[in-house]
Amino acid sequence: MGNAWIIEASRTPRGRGKMGKGALSGIHPQELLATTLRATLERSKVDAGLIEDVVTGCVSQAGEQGACIARNAILAAGLPDDITGVTVNRFCGSGLQAINLAAMGVASGHQDLVLAGGVESMSRAPMGSDGAGMDGNNLHLRKKLFQVPQGISADLIATLEGFSREELDRFAVASQNRAEAAQKAGYFSRALVPVHDPETGVLALAVDEFPRHGSTLEAAAKLEPAFVGMGAAAVGPNGETLDEIARKRYPAAAAIAHVHTAGNSSGIVDGACTVLLASDAAIKAHSLKPRARIRAMATAGAEPVIMLTAPTPASKRALAKAGMEAKDIDLWEINEAFAAVALQTMRNLGIDHERVNVNGGSIALGHPLGATGAILLQTALDELERRDKTTALITLCIGGGMGIATIIERV
């Protein structure tokens, strides 16, 4: 087995995911991905004719994001017709899964140069737009296992772990403050590629627009819990509320503490990211200079009602494959789907906050579902280079009770 080398990467800024209110909401998602495909090739100086495949993560594969967005983005980007594309869905882990699949292709020697990453326009293809829910509307499965929405799962984790509202808010404010500092210092400049309207050429967005600069704990404390009404909804197969379904599976939670808000949960945004991966043979044949290599990757499953706890076993599995321990990792990117997920993962693995999401996370910058995993990998690599560090682990919780983790090692 050979290596999977990371050559280059690029991402769009993240725009607010509301139609008519976000700067990217007027841009077709194919064009968002096409922007990063072109930019990554330009930055790497690799001939587009050498690319064998494009692997793209996308969650809401309906409407404008249907019909294999990977292939259509290749065409929109004006790349050669003989480049193939495939679109994958591992929910919030899709962007990182796309990179892992590309890494498998090049490390095995079956492919030499592959573009991988993800895209999600949450303004144009909102969550749930595929009409499938969490379980594909399989009523037989639903009777056996009723999967509650992720907000309920996040509050269940906070309840069982004993995380207070103040702890979650402190983590969230730290994410905002770190992102603000990183933006002002220009730490995202290497990653970003501006997005222009494909028809007019007018600049749509050049910087992430979701972060709320000047965030304070006092302001965060004023936000209302987001999932109280949802938890009280009687939608179970026997008329149970969502809170009752969660408590039935986890009786230790006498009552669900609804502590997640819009301020300590991930933001809804639009965005795309592309990473170029190369085989050992491609490195030699084209005199490429890699930035990093994929050292290990793993997925893991967990109980699907609590749903969001699998970053821990996925990270442990990846660490074991790399022959490493948590203390050996210089930087961590733990997706901030909800504050409780990151806090639980840090607690389980014994990681201090100083090594985690050092430039903020999805609470501040937003979580464009299919693209986030790729964005986090690029963010980690850029920061390894800036700090002259060596290793990073990227992990995300995933709907249905899954987790994914990838370890990269800087060259």
Side-chain angles (χ1 to χ4, degrees), residues 177-195:
N177 294 341
R178 289 177 176 189
E180 178 179 354
Q183 279 191 308
K184 290 179 176 178
Y187 292 165
F188 300 137
S189 298
R190 193 192 194 293
L192 289 170
V193 54
V195 177

Side-chain angles (χ1 to χ4, degrees), residues 79-363:
L79 301 184
D81 290 347
D82 62 0
I83 301 175
T84 54
V86 62
T87 309
V88 300
N89 181 8
R90 199 190 285 278
F91 295 139
C92 296
S94 298
L96 192 58
Q97 181 62 60
I99 291 173
N100 288 356
L101 289 172
M104 294 174 195
V106 299
S108 68
H110 288 289
Q111 295 174 307
D112 287 315
L113 287 163
V114 179
L115 290 165
V119 62
E120 204 81 30
S121 177
M122 300 181 76
S123 60
R124 299 172 74 100
M127 287 186 290
S129 56
D130 61 359
M134 185 61 69
D135 56 15
N137 298 315
N138 181 348
L139 299 183
H140 179 65
L141 171 61
R142 194 172 298 173
K143 289 176 182 178
K144 294 195 297 182
L145 174 69
F146 196 100
Q147 300 175 61
V148 302
Q150 291 188 11
I152 305 300
S153 299
D155 282 342
L156 176 60
I157 291 171
T159 301
L160 295 173
E161 294 284 346
F163 294 138
S164 68
R165 166 70 183 272
E166 183 178 352
E167 286 179 279
L168 302 186
D169 285 348
R170 284 189 183 280
F171 180 86
V173 170
S175 180
Q176 290 284 356
N177 294 341
R178 289 177 176 189
E180 178 179 354
Q183 279 191 308
K184 290 179 176 178
Y187 292 165
F188 300 137
S189 298
R190 193 192 194 293
L192 289 170
V193 54
V195 177
H196 295 82
D197 186 296
E199 296 290 337
T200 65
V202 173
L203 177 67
L205 187 65
V207 297
D208 296 303
E209 70 171 345
F210 191 77
R212 295 178 290 279
H213 290 188
S215 292
T216 65
L217 189 60
E218 292 73 22
K222 295 177 182 178
L223 296 173
E224 293 294 324
F227 305 110
V228 174
M230 181 184 290
V235 297
N238 298 307
E240 312 99 318
T241 67
L242 292 172
D243 278 358
E244 288 171 342
I245 292 169
R247 292 200 309 270
K248 183 178 180 180
R249 181 64 183 83
Y250 291 90
I256 305 295
H258 290 291
V259 287
H260 282 93
T261 70
N264 57 36
S265 306
S266 57
I268 295 173
V269 295
D270 305 332
C273 180
T274 297
V275 178
L276 175 61
L277 294 105
S279 67
D280 291 329
I283 294 291
K284 294 177 182 178
H286 307 294
S287 301
L288 301 177
K289 184 178 180 181
R291 297 175 62 189
R293 72 183 178 103
I294 305 289
R295 182 158 173 178
M297 47 194 168
T299 56
E303 196 282 313
V305 172
I306 203 166
M307 192 183 304
L308 307 174
T309 60
T312 294
S315 297
K316 287 182 176 179
R317 186 171 287 174
L319 288 166
K321 290 178 182 293
M324 303 174 75
E325 298 179 8
K327 63 181 177 60
D328 300 323
I329 299 295
D330 294 315
L331 295 174
W332 291 74
E333 286 290 334
I334 303 172
N335 189 37
E336 297 172 359
F338 301 91
V341 174
L343 289 175
Q344 186 201 43
T345 305
M346 290 162 59
R347 174 183 285 179
N348 289 345
L349 297 174
I351 314 164
D352 62 88
H353 196 188
E354 294 307 307
R355 290 188 290 154
V356 177
N357 303 356
V358 297
N359 291 328
S362 292
I363 287 173

Side-chain angles (χ1 to χ4, degrees), residues 7-8 37-52 79 112-115 276-278 282-283 286-289:
I7 306 301
E8 195 48 90
L37 292 174
R38 288 191 298 263
T40 302
L41 288 172
E42 290 168 2
R43 292 175 178 184
S44 68
K45 296 181 172 57
V46 167
D47 184 347
L50 298 172
I51 302 299
E52 296 176 62
L79 301 184
D112 287 315
L113 287 163
V114 179
L115 290 165
L276 175 61
L277 294 105
I283 294 291
H286 307 294
S287 301
L288 301 177
K289 184 178 180 181

